[in-house]
Amino acid sequence: MGSKTVIVGGSVGGIRAAQALRSQGFAGEIAVIDAEPHVPYDKPPLSKGFLNGAIGFDRIQLISEKELNDSEVSLLLGQRAVGIDVSGKMVLLEGGQRISYDDLVIATGVRARPSPWNAADGVHLLRTLDDAQSLKRDLLESSSVVVVGGGFIGAEVAATASKLGLLVSIVDPLAVPIGRILGDEVGERFIGLHHANGVSTHFGTGVESISGSRGNLVVRLTNGVHLSGDIVVVGIGAIPNVEWLASSGLVLDNGVVCDEFSRAVGQANIYGLGDVARWHHPGLRRLVRVEHWTNAVEQAACVARNIVNPSNPVSYSPVPYVWSDQYDWKIQIAGETSDASRCTLVEDHANLNRFAAVYADGAGFYSGIVTVNWPRAMIQCRKLLETEKDPAAPLELLRQMVPAI
Amino acid sequence: MPIIKADLELCQGYANCVMEAPKLFDISDDGIVVVLEEEFGEETRGRVEAAVRSCPVSALRIED
Ligand SMILES: Cc1cc2nc3c(=O)[nH]c(=O)nc-3n(C[C@H](O)[C@H](O)[C@H](O)COP(=O)(O)OP(=O)(O)OC[C@H]3O[C@@H](n4cnc5c(N)ncnc54)[C@H](O)[C@@H]3O)c2cc1C
Ligand code: SF4
């Protein structure tokens, strides 16, 4: 088979797509292009074990040298794609090189939203290995940090910094930041978790300015409070990396817009996956873009399958799944959980450090589950999401798992 | 026959492997992976490889 697949983006989505292609029996050429010079690495540990020093770079690599060689995947590192020529089937690189393809996979992910507040230095973003290394160096030399943004990455950085012994404060314009994802009742517990670990929270208030320089930064809040920190970490979301496709003719709208088969709309041989892809989810019947690890891996498997079997493509209709580690909480979320009004908590009175919450959608159907420190409950309820509509079923299952009081 | 090896020290109980191959993996009460069938036949290789790729901490591998 003489066919060639080019994958732009060599992070988890791109690398897992290359592996899945081989696993599915793809015998053509595979090339993975990435703008970063580093061998492909994984991002979730960058706010957790890698940032606190528990694990090194060797433990976050996405693929071994041996597997790369055995599976004949060529890596073009430090090469930025700047465009594609759809009719000529070429990827254009920054240096002027043109790479031809039969099938193209777009896996360029997202970048951290830049800080709108600027200080001389000491203000960090966290997305890449370089970001994590520079933040890690500064954390080790600092005694206090202000984290702007109370979402997952902000909360994980706050947890890591407090574990390293720094004085931590965290700010977010939302009164209950995690409430946006898990509802206010569960979100309040996450605020309690910061407090239990000595982290001060300033939620429901925005940032007006950041001034000073490393070692002496001042964050002014819109409610008049001034927070000082040796460094500041800004975690306020991400922006899809699609600018390089601006003149390609592909449909771009908060990501690369794809059909239910993860193909860029109107294109038979161009696919999008991972954080950059906004595809038509056939189950939810709308366009969705998901910035989570498991989605990138599952969508990569779907794309690989569709490249190998283009005449019989499978649609991509996943049940979302995310994890996060904050302080001593192992948090797992599956399905749709943002419908706050319908959430039922289940506690384990024999183990106060764990709980679960079952979510139902507007129609009253079982739609999602979150667990804290309870992996076995998660997997049982996650499996049920595929088959069960009645929220009473996961609730019953959870209640059977806790000793009666 | 090829076999599945799980590194129980690395495993974090994310259970993506269970979702990929429920006949081969489960999660214990302690939240750690249990390999239900170590040996697998060639017809299952695709599934096992998908399970290996889906593990966020690379705790699984195949030994041929
Ligand atoms: C600190 C941190 C912690 C996280 N923790 C979790 C977690 O606990 N759980 C979870 O589910 N998810 C987590 N995530 C999210 C998860 O890492 C992402 O969903 C995942 O990385 C998406 O993979 P991707 O391959 O789609 O995109 P990305 O990882 O963004 O990779 C895109 C790649 O494309 C390259 N690229 C971009 N533009 C170009 C170009 N023009 N030419 C060539 N190359 C280009 C980039 O260099 C990059 O390597 C975390 C993310 C971060 C940053
Ligand atoms: S996917 Fe990996 S971490 Fe998760 S249960 Fe399976 S082996 Fe453990």
Side-chain angles (χ1 to χ4, degrees):
Chain A
M1 209 159 81
S3 156
K4 175 173 180 182
T5 298
V6 171
I7 300 170
V8 184
S11 183
V12 64
I15 293 299
R16 291 293 179 265
Q19 292 171 307
L21 276 167
R22 288 294 183 235
S23 181
Q24 307 256 357
F26 180 79
E29 239 183 282
I30 303 178
V32 180
I33 299 169
D34 201 287
E36 288 190 41
H38 309 292
V39 298
Y41 62 88
D42 208 10
K43 294 192 170 75
L46 299 182
S47 51
K48 313 177 183 77
F50 183 80
L51 192 61
N52 73 27
I55 61 174
F57 185 68
D58 57 313
R59 282 270 304 278
I60 66 169
Q61 288 174 25
L62 282 166
I63 186 167
S64 67
E65 186 130 9
K66 178 173 185 307
E67 191 186 339
L68 271 174
N69 289 334
D70 290 353
S71 55
E72 296 183 37
V73 171
S74 53
L75 271 184
L76 286 83
L77 298 178
Q79 308 265 10
R80 180 174 298 278
V82 293
I84 52 178
D85 168 358
V86 169
S87 56
K89 299 204 238 178
M90 301 267 197
V91 177
L92 319 176
L93 300 186
E94 198 166 37
Q97 216 185 330
R98 302 165 77 85
I99 313 273
S100 67
Y101 64 81
D102 296 295
D103 288 286
L104 176 67
V105 178
I106 297 169
T108 46
V110 298
R111 61 182 179 279
R113 185 180 299 283
S115 168
W117 313 280
N118 287 308
D121 58 4
V123 178
H124 290 264
L125 299 173
L126 179 55
R127 180 76 198 173
T128 64
L129 177 67
D130 292 350
D131 293 342
Q133 277 170 331
S134 120
L135 175 58
K136 188 172 160 184
R137 267 195 306 275
D138 266 11
L139 280 175
L140 293 177
E141 288 174 5
S142 301
S143 54
S144 59
V145 55
V146 180
V147 178
V148 179
F152 283 137
I153 290 186
E156 290 183 357
V157 169
T160 299
S162 90
K163 193 169 170 184
L164 290 171
L166 282 80
L167 208 59
V168 183
S169 28
I170 182 164
V171 185
D172 195 287
L174 294 176
V176 188
I178 302 285
R180 195 168 42 96
I181 312 159
L182 297 177
D184 283 357
E185 190 182 1
V186 174
E188 297 278 3
R189 295 187 167 218
F190 282 73
I191 298 179
L193 180 66
H194 287 302
H195 295 162
N197 286 278
V199 168
S200 66
T201 59
H202 302 265
F203 292 154
T205 179
V207 170
E208 200 164 83
S209 67
I210 302 177
S211 56
S213 60
R214 178 186 289 106
N216 189 15
L217 286 161
V218 177
V219 179
R220 286 189 178 73
L221 305 184
T222 48
N223 66 0
V225 169
H226 292 187
L227 300 173
S228 50
D230 293 338
I231 58 171
V232 173
V233 182
V234 176
I236 52 170
I239 302 172
N241 289 321
V242 293
E243 290 77 4
W244 68 285
L245 296 165
S247 61
S248 63
L250 298 189
V251 182
L252 307 175
D253 178 12
N254 179 27
V256 176
V257 180
C258 297
D259 64 16
E260 64 177 300
F261 306 113
S262 276
R263 289 183 308 219
V265 289
Q267 307 292 331
N269 61 337
I270 302 181
Y271 299 80
L273 62 82
D275 285 12
V276 75
R278 185 150 169 261
W279 87 101
H280 180 82
H281 189 300
L284 300 172
R285 290 195 217 91
R286 57 182 160 86
L287 288 173
V288 292
R289 194 168 66 74
V290 176
E291 292 179 3
H292 298 304
W293 194 94
T294 302
N295 179 64
V297 174
E298 291 180 346
Q299 202 163 16
C302 172
V303 164
R305 192 185 176 281
N306 290 346
I307 289 175
V308 174
N309 294 296
S311 55
N312 183 21
V314 289
S315 61
Y316 183 56
S317 192
V319 173
Y321 170 70
V322 201
W323 75 92
S324 174
D325 299 327
Q326 301 173 20
Y327 309 96
D328 61 346
W329 278 15
K330 184 195 292 283
I331 301 139
Q332 296 172 284
I333 307 164
E336 302 291 324
T337 52
S338 42
D339 191 349
S341 57
R342 294 155 178 272
C343 154
T344 313
L345 277 164
V346 178
E347 318 249 14
D348 179 353
H349 294 277
N351 183 346
L352 292 176
N353 213 21
R354 65 165 44 158
F355 66 88
V358 171
Y359 295 78
D361 63 16
F365 293 139
Y366 175 37
S367 66
I369 168 90
V370 54
T371 62
V372 168
N373 292 330
W374 207 349
R376 185 158 168 76
M378 169 50 72
I379 184 60
Q380 309 254 347
C381 295
R382 189 175 165 197
K383 281 183 182 165
L384 271 189
L385 273 172
E386 297 188 335
T387 54
E388 186 58 63
K389 286 212 155 60
D390 186 352
L395 285 169
E396 178 56 30
L397 200 150
L398 287 167
R399 286 179 184 134
Q400 280 171 10
M401 292 180 78
V402 300
I405 6 169
Chain B
M1 268 215 219
I3 58 170
I4 305 166
K5 285 278 175 198
D7 186 330
L8 303 183
E9 300 282 307
L10 286 181
C11 174
Q12 293 291 321
Y14 294 125
N16 282 350
C17 57
V18 184
M19 293 304 284
E20 291 289 346
K23 292 209 175 83
L24 298 175
F25 302 99
D26 200 359
I27 298 293
S28 71
D29 287 333
D30 305 330
I32 299 294
V33 68
V34 181
V35 180
L36 300 173
E37 298 268 0
E38 267 213 334
E39 289 191 346
F40 61 91
E42 280 308 319
E43 68 289 352
T44 333
R45 181 176 287 271
R47 261 186 186 277
V48 179
E49 287 180 350
V52 170
R53 287 195 305 274
S54 78
C55 175
V57 290
S58 303
L60 301 174
R61 69 196 155 79
I62 296 173
E63 272 180 14
D64 281 301

